[in-house]
Amino acid sequence: MAVTILGYFLIPIGVLFLLVRPKFLLPCTVIFSGFSGSAVFLVGDLGIQPSYWFAILWFASVAIKGIKIEEIKKSFQKNIYLSIFVIYATFSILLPLILENNILVMNIDGKITWLTFTKSCITQLIYLWFSYISFLFFSVYFSGTKSRINDFISYYLVGASLVCIVCFYQIICFRTGMPFDELFRQNLHGNVQGARVYGPCIEASMLCYYLVTVLPLSIRRKSWWSFVLLIATIGLGIYSFSSTFIVGLGVWIILEFIHALKIGKLKLSSKKIMMILTGYISTIIVLLVCGDHVIYALEKLLITISQKNMSGIQRSYSFELLIDAFMKSPVLGIGFGTCRGNDLFSTWLAEVGFVGIGLLIIYFSEKLFVKNATWKFKVAIILVWLVMLISVPEPYNLFIWFLLSILDADQDYRIRKVESYEEI
């Protein structure tokens, strides 16, 4: 085991908080949830992210106080389709033993091989269970408490601000040769992508699928720093040359416009006119500074879609390969953790088949298409899962499950509020 430079700073802080101020551990988990390419220590080729480190310590503090089994059970039942999905994924790792050497797949390391049971079936399942358990504990902690939800959205945006600051520091490092990867990007799964900005994340696309969640959350905060964060997020997303961000940004703009039309909030007051003018001027500035990057990102997106560059060719090939694997076992899939394409849709469709994907569709339909769901939370979740489905097969970073738990707790709060009103 090797402790990283970041680890020498964060490991003692975590231990200190566990002993003295355990309530600080969960805010730290959320703040550092975007640091997916960072690690506090390395075990072989496995890097333990800062958010994982603080989450583990928080679980320990909860266990010391006493786990609320009944509350966990309620959360399990309330999210029954997600719970069944995780259970099904667990049992599905037996499928490679039945279908072994009969199906060609792209494995976790990106190599083309015959389907077989490997250690990745176990490791990917551990990631899934850790994420799911985190979701259950988060949901219980936030349940029915609006003040906590608001506080932790603030922590989330603080974390996004730190990610942006690290990204700007990286841009300076590109020009000065100052150290960067050894400070903020120790996870061995990362890969350097020329002059592209990736910040404390594994790669540019993983930076951008985190950044897209910031858009709907920051725009509704009535403060100058959240507006600065919004502009910085858009600027960095474009500067990263990531087609992932361009897709997320475009979908976000469309969703916000449709929502504004639906609720009839397109009437222009003097305050809204000032906001539009400020946003317009800021956009012009971003375009003037990053104009070449905007054009390049759009060209890259179109070329990738048309499969004329290496990324497009690889995505197309991996997608076709995994869809073919899915067709060999369409109902049950070929087993969780057996393959990994360039998108989550083909990866999970091949692994868990119609059964697993069907459970997820029902779960998200229940969560997203109900009246008592707060718009900004719904949009953040729609954006990150849409981007994952089409270009980032990485559902195990804790910010994804934090957002799901926030939506779950917010719905619970709104239901209780309605019930209390009806009783009165």
Side-chain angles (χ1 to χ4, degrees):
M1 184 180 78
V3 178
T4 66
I5 295 175
L6 194 61
Y8 282 116
F9 177 67
L10 295 182
I11 290 176
I13 289 178
V15 174
L16 179 64
F17 285 166
L18 177 63
L19 298 175
V20 180
R21 288 289 187 273
K23 66 179 182 180
F24 291 167
L25 291 171
L26 188 54
C28 286
T29 301
V30 173
I31 289 171
F32 286 99
S33 62
F35 285 60
S36 62
S38 301
V40 293
F41 56 85
L42 302 169
V43 182
D45 63 349
L46 176 64
I48 304 301
Q49 296 180 25
S51 61
Y52 274 44
W53 166 245
F54 285 114
I56 291 170
L57 294 178
W58 182 66
F59 293 153
S61 70
V62 171
I64 292 171
K65 290 181 179 179
I67 299 174
K68 299 177 181 178
I69 300 297
E70 286 301 316
E71 294 296 324
I72 296 293
K73 184 178 178 181
K74 287 179 182 178
S75 183
F76 175 92
Q77 294 171 340
K78 188 169 55 175
N79 299 279
I80 189 63
Y81 290 106
L82 179 62
S83 303
I84 295 174
F85 168 79
V86 174
I87 293 171
Y88 176 72
T90 302
F91 285 102
S92 74
I93 66 171
L94 299 174
L95 290 171
L97 300 175
I98 301 172
L99 304 171
E100 191 172 13
N101 294 324
N102 288 326
I103 301 173
L104 201 62
V105 298
M106 179 179 287
N107 66 16
I108 300 297
D109 298 320
K111 297 178 181 178
I112 309 301
T113 182
W114 291 104
L115 174 67
T116 185
F117 184 91
T118 64
K119 68 176 183 179
S120 69
C121 297
I122 303 299
T123 57
Q124 295 299 298
L125 193 60
I126 291 173
Y127 284 136
L128 179 63
W129 270 100
F130 185 83
S131 301
Y132 172 68
I133 291 172
S134 299
F135 163 75
L136 291 180
F137 276 73
F138 294 164
S139 295
V140 170
Y141 182 79
F142 299 128
S143 182
T145 53
K146 190 64 175 179
S147 60
R148 277 186 182 175
I149 293 172
N150 292 332
D151 288 344
F152 275 83
I153 290 300
S154 296
Y155 295 139
Y156 189 79
L157 295 180
V158 168
S161 300
L162 287 180
V163 169
C164 288
I165 291 171
V166 171
C167 289
F168 285 122
Y169 172 71
Q170 184 183 22
I171 294 172
I172 296 173
C173 291
F174 284 151
R175 289 163 172 73
T176 62
M178 294 170 62
F180 180 78
D181 280 6
E182 53 265 54
L183 296 177
F184 296 106
R185 199 163 167 276
Q186 307 90 347
N187 197 317
L188 299 181
H189 294 289
N191 55 82
V192 178
Q193 299 176 306
R196 295 183 68 186
V197 173
Y198 42 74
C201 304
I202 292 179
E203 58 185 36
S205 61
M206 292 191 183
L207 165 67
C208 289
Y209 93 130
Y210 171 74
L211 290 181
V212 294
T213 66
V214 178
L215 300 174
L217 299 178
S218 61
I219 198 173
R220 286 173 171 78
R221 284 290 170 119
K222 298 178 181 179
S223 61
W224 65 268
W225 74 270
S226 63
F227 182 75
V228 172
L229 175 60
L230 177 65
I231 298 302
T233 298
I234 295 174
L236 287 170
I238 293 172
Y239 190 82
S240 71
F241 306 122
S242 175
S243 54
T244 297
F245 185 80
I246 296 299
V247 171
L249 179 64
V251 172
W252 174 62
I253 292 172
I254 293 171
L255 289 175
E256 292 291 358
F257 182 75
I258 292 173
H259 181 63
L261 283 176
K262 183 178 178 181
I263 63 177
K265 283 194 174 181
L266 286 181
K267 297 177 182 179
L268 299 180
S269 62
S270 58
K271 183 178 179 181
K272 289 182 180 178
I273 291 173
M274 286 300 297
M275 289 179 63
I276 291 172
L277 287 175
T278 304
Y280 178 75
I281 293 171
S282 302
T283 302
I284 293 298
I285 293 173
V286 169
L287 290 175
L288 287 174
V289 175
C290 306
D292 292 339
H293 295 81
V294 176
I295 295 172
Y296 181 84
L298 289 172
E299 288 178 346
K300 184 174 177 290
L301 173 61
L302 294 174
I303 291 172
T304 300
I305 292 173
S306 61
Q307 302 173 23
K308 291 183 180 179
N309 65 356
M310 186 58 67
S311 175
I313 293 171
Q314 289 176 343
R315 288 178 184 278
S316 176
Y317 179 72
S318 68
F319 183 83
E320 291 174 2
L321 185 67
L322 295 187
I323 290 299
D324 183 63
F326 157 73
M327 293 302 293
K328 300 291 178 59
S329 179
V331 178
L332 300 178
I334 61 176
F336 194 81
T338 55
C339 60
R340 186 178 189 271
N342 291 99
D343 62 277
L344 188 63
F345 175 72
S346 65
T347 300
W348 275 7
L349 186 64
E351 288 183 338
V352 294
F354 279 133
V355 173
I357 295 298
L359 290 167
L360 286 178
I361 290 174
I362 297 172
Y363 169 73
F364 281 111
S365 297
E366 281 193 340
K367 291 296 176 182
L368 298 176
F369 301 108
V370 292
K371 291 183 179 180
N372 61 339
T374 300
W375 175 253
K376 62 183 177 182
F377 300 148
K378 287 200 299 184
V379 174
I381 290 168
I382 288 171
L383 290 176
V384 70
W385 280 89
L386 175 65
V387 168
M388 282 194 295
L389 287 171
I390 63 177
S391 64
V392 186
E394 190 55 55
Y396 307 119
N397 289 313
L398 290 186
F399 72 88
I400 298 167
W401 302 86
F402 163 74
L403 291 173
L404 282 178
S405 69
I406 286 291
L407 178 65
D408 185 60
D410 183 68
Q411 288 179 349
D412 186 50
Y413 166 78
R414 287 171 173 270
I415 290 171
R416 291 183 184 181
K417 189 175 180 181
V418 170
E419 289 175 348
S420 297
Y421 176 79
E422 289 176 348
E423 288 177 3
I424 295 173

